[in-house]
Amino acid sequence: MEQYVVFKSHGQFFAILVQNVDRIIEANQFIQLPEVSDFILGVYEYQEKMIPIVDVRQKLFKQYTEQKEETKVILCQWEEQSLGLYVEDIVGISYMPDTAYEEGLVRAASKQGYIEKFLKLDDQVVMMLSMAFLFNNQQETPALEAITELVEAQEE
């Protein structure tokens, strides 16, 4: 059984592995970037790095997350990349068992690319998000590379 950070978005429960999470912060001011997908809210300066912030609700459900007191940013690492996930609410950190639910969805050809697997938290079904899906920002690469080059030039 592995440990996960559980959060809510669009009334659904989602999880990512604790080992992929650097920290959870409160942030609602981001540097907006031109020519990026609508689910990229901008970048956030954290520990001298510019981290792109993805609105999870916008990426999955095409609706922006409303800013509230409970809204948080989960700073993640995956394959040497950093990303911030803008989420409606953090439910907690829990150990959760896997389920066999995705096997039925795969057979029915209903499994979405963003679901890595299903987990169980008490009586709730929790979807573990695929880090590959969240970090798939091919259309943002040129803009984010330009930001990185700008930051590096300022450091010199």
Side-chain angles (χ1 to χ4, degrees):
M1 206 169 354
E2 296 189 86
Q3 192 174 29
Y4 300 88
V5 173
V6 181
F7 61 92
K8 284 178 79 173
S9 186
H10 197 66
Q12 303 289 316
F13 287 83
F14 294 96
I16 56 175
L17 283 168
V18 164
Q19 67 195 36
N20 293 329
V21 175
D22 284 339
R23 76 178 4 189
I24 297 169
I25 61 171
E26 292 183 26
N28 53 25
Q29 298 293 320
F30 310 112
I31 300 166
Q32 293 184 352
L33 299 174
E35 300 181 32
V36 295
S37 293
D38 58 354
F39 58 84
I40 301 288
L41 298 177
V43 292
Y44 182 75
E45 184 180 5
Y46 181 74
Q47 294 183 344
E48 300 181 8
K49 290 194 287 189
M50 296 303 250
I51 299 174
I53 305 297
V54 171
D55 185 335
V56 173
R57 184 176 182 158
Q58 178 65 20
K59 181 147 184 166
L60 299 179
F61 300 103
K62 306 295 183 219
Q63 296 177 356
Y64 286 104
T65 299
E66 185 180 332
Q67 182 182 333
K68 296 181 180 180
E69 189 175 321
E70 299 84 16
T71 309
K72 303 284 187 269
V73 174
I74 304 171
L75 298 177
C76 306
Q77 289 286 325
W78 185 72
E79 293 187 1
E80 299 180 25
Q81 296 181 63
S82 295
L83 182 73
L85 304 179
Y86 192 66
V87 301
E88 292 170 31
D89 193 14
I90 301 294
V91 175
I93 298 174
S94 299
Y95 286 96
M96 292 184 286
D98 293 357
T99 68
Y101 296 154
E102 63 266 14
E103 293 170 12
L105 287 177
V106 168
R107 281 194 297 271
S110 300
K111 184 176 177 190
Q112 298 297 317
Y114 62 87
I115 301 171
E116 192 162 313
K117 61 183 168 181
F118 290 94
L119 307 162
K120 197 78 166 147
L121 178 65
D122 300 324
D123 61 343
Q124 295 289 332
V125 174
V126 179
M127 292 174 269
M128 180 181 166
L129 288 177
S130 163
M131 295 302 281
F133 176 81
L134 293 172
F135 277 87
N136 179 12
N137 59 353
Q138 293 171 343
Q139 56 278 56
E140 285 72 43
T141 300
L144 295 176
E145 285 176 355
I147 292 292
T148 302
E149 289 172 12
L150 180 64
V151 169
E152 289 172 354
Q154 288 176 344
E155 291 174 353
E156 294 176 352

